[in-house]
Amino acid sequence: MANPRQEDKSIQAAEDAVRRTSEKTAEQTRRIGETAVEAGQEVARAGADVLQQNAETLQSALRFSLDTATAAMGRSTDQFSRTLGLSGDEAQHAAERSARSAATVLQSTTAIAKGMSGMSQEYFAFVRHQIESSMERMNELWRCRTPQDVVAVQTDFVRETVESALESSRRMADISLKATEDTAKRMAQTVERRAA
């Protein structure tokens, strides 16, 4: 007959081993989750910085191009009028047309800049949502008791991340389309005014 004390000690030792293993697994899961959140936050910050730099670079390039084009049009108009012997009124008319063209380009860059700003805001909202979601999932991972629970939380997280990314991309595409339509509308209005 087996010794009951011996069996109790064996059961207690097995329970202790399971508890220690569970604690180690929970600690490792917590560390992995923290690392994932930190990496996600770092990627989000880097992405936001790159997007902001790109928007600023685009705006600066457009502004520089407009200034260069305006200066070149002014010089070209002066030279052209002298070459063709245009009168002061004709030269003035040509200069006004050049100025209107430059204004149209400036308005177009403004619409584009607004679109870039809207997309940047949408991107930041996406990043903020992802950070909040990551923190919520981290809390859920803390409550997991089985590997199946961990897989379920991770699966939900991936699904929600993909859905959120697609929705945010759709909104950014809408913003881009609106900026393009606004730019085209402004240019068409300028052409109509010229024709009139």
Side-chain angles (χ1 to χ4, degrees), residues 165-177:
L166 290 173
E167 181 61 26
S168 184
S169 295
R170 186 196 58 76
R171 285 191 298 264
M172 282 192 259
D174 289 345
I175 291 168
S176 176
L177 181 62

Side-chain angles (χ1 to χ4, degrees), residues 41-55:
Q41 290 172 339
E42 192 62 34
V43 167
R45 276 191 292 274
D49 290 344
V50 167
L51 184 62
Q52 175 124 14
Q53 288 172 349
N54 287 346

Side-chain angles (χ1 to χ4, degrees), residues 139-170:
N139 289 333
E140 288 181 28
L141 283 172
W142 275 92
R143 292 188 293 270
C144 290
R145 297 291 177 224
T146 65
Q148 293 82 2
D149 292 343
V150 172
V151 169
V153 169
Q154 289 294 344
T155 301
D156 287 346
F157 178 66
V158 169
R159 180 187 47 77
E160 288 176 8
T161 299
V162 169
E163 287 175 354
S164 181
L166 290 173
E167 181 61 26
S168 184
S169 295
R170 186 196 58 76

Side-chain angles (χ1 to χ4, degrees), residues 78-114:
D78 290 343
Q79 290 173 354
F80 188 67
S81 63
R82 279 193 304 263
T83 301
L84 296 177
L86 296 175
S87 68
D89 289 338
E90 292 169 332
Q92 180 65 29
H93 180 67
E96 287 172 2
R97 285 186 60 196
S98 294
R100 282 194 304 268
S101 294
T104 301
V105 171
L106 181 59
Q107 289 174 350
S108 298
T109 58
T110 301
I112 291 169
K114 284 180 184 178

